[in-house]
């Protein structure tokens, strides 16, 4: 089990424009991602290679937002090699 939480910023107002417009906007960026495997210590990623999450089921308190950030921001800015 993998728990994640993104902290982001954008020129788009999330509340008034909605999650899809926010995540798809080119100005949206990830400031950091906190994550923990199972009940382990929380770690924070800020840049560079992404941690290897292969084989883990991902959980998040706001899963729709986290999924869209992975899809629209992380894949664009941090593609897997």
């Amino acid at each position: 089990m993998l728990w994640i939480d993104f902290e982001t910023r954008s020129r788009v107002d999330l509340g008034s424009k909605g999650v899809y417009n926010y995540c798809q906007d080119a100005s949206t960026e990830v400031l950091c991602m906190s994550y923990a495997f199972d009940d382990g210590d929380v770690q924070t990623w800020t840049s560079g290679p992404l941690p290897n999450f292969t084989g883990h089921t991902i959980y998040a308190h706001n899963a729709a937002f986290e999924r869209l950030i992975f899809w629209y921001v992380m894949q664009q800015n941090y593609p897997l090699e």
Side-chain angles (χ1 to χ4, degrees):
M1 182 182 316
L2 170 66
W3 295 94
I4 63 165
D5 180 55
F6 287 109
E7 296 303 325
T8 63
R9 71 174 165 199
S10 179
R11 289 189 298 245
V12 173
D13 180 67
L14 178 59
S16 66
K17 299 298 183 183
V19 68
Y20 281 91
N21 290 321
Y22 181 91
C23 291
Q24 291 177 343
D25 192 82
S27 72
T28 302
E29 62 181 313
V30 172
L31 302 175
C32 67
M33 173 184 61
S34 293
Y35 62 97
F37 293 99
D38 299 314
D39 291 327
D41 292 337
V42 174
Q43 301 176 61
T44 300
W45 171 90
T46 56
S47 65
L50 291 172
N52 184 356
F53 298 144
T54 305
H56 290 86
T57 301
I58 298 175
Y59 291 87
H61 293 289
N62 190 0
F65 178 81
E66 312 303 329
R67 178 180 57 84
L68 292 172
I69 290 294
F70 261 127
W71 186 257
Y72 291 115
V73 180
M74 297 301 287
Q75 280 195 132
Q76 300 301 315
N77 297 329
Y78 301 95
L80 296 175
E81 296 183 15

